[in-house]
């Protein structure tokens, strides 16, 4: 009876039940301390297995605050001021960051804009509107081709602008090309560092964008993404399809985005990361929200996930080792129920103590070293006050 009791006590799986949830609890709490909000333990567990990360360009790799940089007119067709006024008037109804940049540029020049008529946004192509009785087409080559508009006189200049990493938009009035307006979006200061960190972790980094390939590759070059890992001219509704294509190849895919158009891809990915400075729709669709608009949070999330999974495996070892060694000893009568109870309790204590070690883990540690302790992780409003 004593041996039987000792076996029952030492075989108690109490520590086994604590092994995983304690580590997940501490890991998600540590993430929250560092501005990484994880919706559930399963997402924290899955992040460690990611081997491909798809990054949206605008607002994720770049700041998402483009500005009007170039205005080029076809010889003798229209003046620069009139071209800006017409384009900005048409873009007044657009919610796209590029359109907002043009409107802002026109307002800085103190131009009087008019209300567009028959405004229509064509995803992945551009916009169509009527301004003062004129049919205005603003967009990429696909839009001009679909409307049978000849752009041969402007194509060379468009190529030059795109080679500089700018987004060039062709403008046609009454089915005749009259000029080009170019908008540039600057890369975030931390994007190249974050992408380098992800690649050093053995993760393939892919950039996805609706921009043309020349512009996309120019931006990718700035942040260290090779041309073969650039998915350009992808329509918003096709981003989820590209994520699925990677998953079908057997890759575990993470998607990082900030806009409404990114929501389907975020939901499709194995783990979706939303930039906290983006839209509410993106954050709702994602599994992990990075409260700061900083791509280093993606690498930090994966490091935290890997540390948590290591901790879980350690906990499972300590939870099982007592049972594995203690049961045969107790069955042979060499272990009293009192010592068996103490061993079982110590097993639980060791598991919880090991899980609490995660509180000392700093997912941003490598970045802090590189910045020589100048990086301080504090909430956005506090940083602005400083």
């Amino acid at each position: 009876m004593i041996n039987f009791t000792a076996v029952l006590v030492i075989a108690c799986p109490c520590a086994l039940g604590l092994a995983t949830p304690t580590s997940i609890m501490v890991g998600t709490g540590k993430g929250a301390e560092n501005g990484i909000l994880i919706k559930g333990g399963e997402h924290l567990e899955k992040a460690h297995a990611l081997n491909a990360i798809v990054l949206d360009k605008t607002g994720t790799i770049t700041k998402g605050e483009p500005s009007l940089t170039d205005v080029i007119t076809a010889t003798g067709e229209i003046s620069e001021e009139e071209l800006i006024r017409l384009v900005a008037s048409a873009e007044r109804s657009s919610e796209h960051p590029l359109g907002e940049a043009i409107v802002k540029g026109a307002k800085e020049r103190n131009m009087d804009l008019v209300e567009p008529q028959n405004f229509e946004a064509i995803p992945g192509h551009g916009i169509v509107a009527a301004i003062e009785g004129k049919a205005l087409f603003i967009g990429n080559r696909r839009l001009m081709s679909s409307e049978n508009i000849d752009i041969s006189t402007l194509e060379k200049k468009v190529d030059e602008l795109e080679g500089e990493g700018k987004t060039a938009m062709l403008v046609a009035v009454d089915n005749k090309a009259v000029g080009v307006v170019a908008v540039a979006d600057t890369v975030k200061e931390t994007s190249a560092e974050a992408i380098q960190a992800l690649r050093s972790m053995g993760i393939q980094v892919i950039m996805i964008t609706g921009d043309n390939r020349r512009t996309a590759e120019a931006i990718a070059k700035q942040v260290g993404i090779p041309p073969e890992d650039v998915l350009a001219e992808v329509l918003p509704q096709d981003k989820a399809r590209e994520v699925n294509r990677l998953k079908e190849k057997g890759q575990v895919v993470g998607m990082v985005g900030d806009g409404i158009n990114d929501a389907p891809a975020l939901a499709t990915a194995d783990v979706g990361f939303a930039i906290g400075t983006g839209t509410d729709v993106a954050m709702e669709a994602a599994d992990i929200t990075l409260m700061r608009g900083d791509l280093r949070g993606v690498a930090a999330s994966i490091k935290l996930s890997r540390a948590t999974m290591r901790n879980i495996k350690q906990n499972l070892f300590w939870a099982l080792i007592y049972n594995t060694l203690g049961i045969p000893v107790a069955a042979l009568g060499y272990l009293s129920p009192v010592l068996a109870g103490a061993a079982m309790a110590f097993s639980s204590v060791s598991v919880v103590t090991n899980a609490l070690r995660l509180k000392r883990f700093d997912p941003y540690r490598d970045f802090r070293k590189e910045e020589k302790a100048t990086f301080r992780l504090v909430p956005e409003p506090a940083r602005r006050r400083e």
Side-chain angles (χ1 to χ4, degrees):
M1 182 60 71
I2 290 175
N3 294 351
F4 174 71
T5 303
V7 169
L8 285 179
V9 172
I10 197 66
C12 177
C14 181
L16 195 62
L18 292 170
T20 298
T22 49
S23 295
I24 294 295
M25 181 182 67
V26 178
T28 52
K30 192 65 185 177
E33 287 179 16
N34 286 273
I36 302 167
L37 303 186
I38 304 165
K39 285 187 176 179
E42 66 272 20
H43 309 306
L44 178 62
E45 292 182 55
K46 194 179 291 184
H48 88 283
L50 293 176
N51 53 31
I53 294 288
V54 180
L55 302 175
D56 176 52
K57 180 181 79 70
T58 305
T60 303
I61 293 176
T62 64
K63 293 181 178 178
E65 299 173 358
S67 57
L68 181 63
T69 58
D70 299 85
V71 180
I72 298 161
T73 61
T75 305
E77 295 293 341
I78 193 173
S79 67
E80 286 188 11
E81 290 76 14
E82 181 65 8
L83 180 62
I84 297 173
R85 189 184 71 85
L86 288 174
V87 175
S89 295
E91 294 283 8
R92 286 182 68 180
S93 298
S94 173
E95 295 181 353
H96 197 284
L98 301 181
E100 292 175 355
I102 296 171
V103 173
K104 183 181 177 182
K107 289 180 177 178
E108 288 173 353
R109 293 169 170 80
N110 297 317
M111 292 183 174
D112 294 324
L113 306 182
V114 298
E115 195 68 29
Q117 304 295 319
N118 303 322
F119 175 87
E120 181 185 1
I122 306 173
H125 289 73
I127 66 167
V128 178
I131 304 293
E132 298 173 341
K134 301 173 183 177
L136 200 65
F137 301 87
I138 306 166
N140 54 24
R141 291 178 176 85
R142 287 196 295 263
L143 176 65
M144 299 300 153
S145 177
S146 66
E147 299 294 334
N148 297 316
I149 298 172
D150 180 21
I151 58 170
S152 56
T153 57
L154 297 169
E155 209 153 10
K156 183 178 179 182
K157 194 60 186 179
V158 171
D159 290 342
E160 291 176 5
L161 294 168
E162 290 173 348
E164 297 170 6
K166 298 174 182 177
T167 300
M169 289 169 278
L170 292 152
V171 183
V173 177
D174 293 331
N175 288 79
K176 186 174 184 180
V178 297
V180 180
V181 291
V183 172
D185 190 5
T186 55
V187 173
K188 292 177 182 176
E189 294 81 359
T190 57
S191 292
E193 182 186 8
I195 290 167
Q196 182 182 359
L198 288 168
R199 288 169 62 86
S200 67
M201 294 163 65
I203 297 172
Q204 181 186 9
V205 180
I206 300 161
M207 187 181 83
I208 191 167
T209 177
D211 280 349
N212 64 83
R213 175 155 291 278
R214 189 176 286 105
T215 301
E217 288 184 359
I219 296 295
K221 186 177 180 181
Q222 294 181 41
V223 295
I225 298 176
E228 60 269 20
D229 288 335
V230 175
L231 301 175
E233 300 179 23
V234 179
L235 298 176
Q237 62 268 27
D238 292 337
K239 288 183 179 180
R241 187 185 306 165
E242 292 293 340
V243 171
N244 259 328
R245 186 176 60 81
L246 291 169
K247 290 173 67 175
E248 288 168 2
K249 291 181 178 179
Q251 291 180 287
V252 185
V253 184
M255 171 70 192
V256 188
D258 73 319
I260 294 173
N261 291 337
D262 301 323
L266 289 169
T268 302
D270 292 295
V271 181
F273 298 84
I275 301 296
T277 53
T279 62
D280 291 341
V281 175
M283 287 186 275
E284 183 64 29
D287 305 309
I288 298 174
T289 299
L290 309 174
M291 292 309 294
R292 301 180 309 128
D294 187 344
L295 276 182
R296 293 181 298 184
V298 179
S301 301
I302 296 171
K303 288 178 181 178
L304 179 62
S305 174
R306 291 180 178 181
T308 302
M309 293 307 295
R310 280 197 305 270
N311 193 270
I312 289 173
K313 290 174 184 177
Q314 292 165 1
N315 284 351
L316 291 172
F317 171 81
W318 288 112
L320 291 171
I321 192 67
Y322 291 105
N323 301 67
T324 305
L325 297 178
I327 290 174
V329 174
L332 293 171
Y334 296 117
L335 189 66
S336 72
V338 175
L339 291 176
M344 185 273 292
F346 185 72
S347 173
S348 299
V349 171
S350 65
V351 164
V352 173
T353 303
N354 188 56
L356 291 175
R357 287 194 312 112
L358 271 176
K359 295 188 73 173
R360 295 184 301 189
F361 179 77
D362 182 3
Y364 283 93
R365 179 181 55 200
D366 294 335
F367 298 123
R368 296 184 206 274
K369 285 180 180 177
E370 291 175 11
E371 295 185 5
K372 298 180 181 178
T374 58
F375 171 68
R376 294 186 61 203
L377 189 63
V378 293
E380 286 282 353
R383 289 218 311 278
R384 285 197 292 269
R385 286 197 299 272
E386 290 174 359

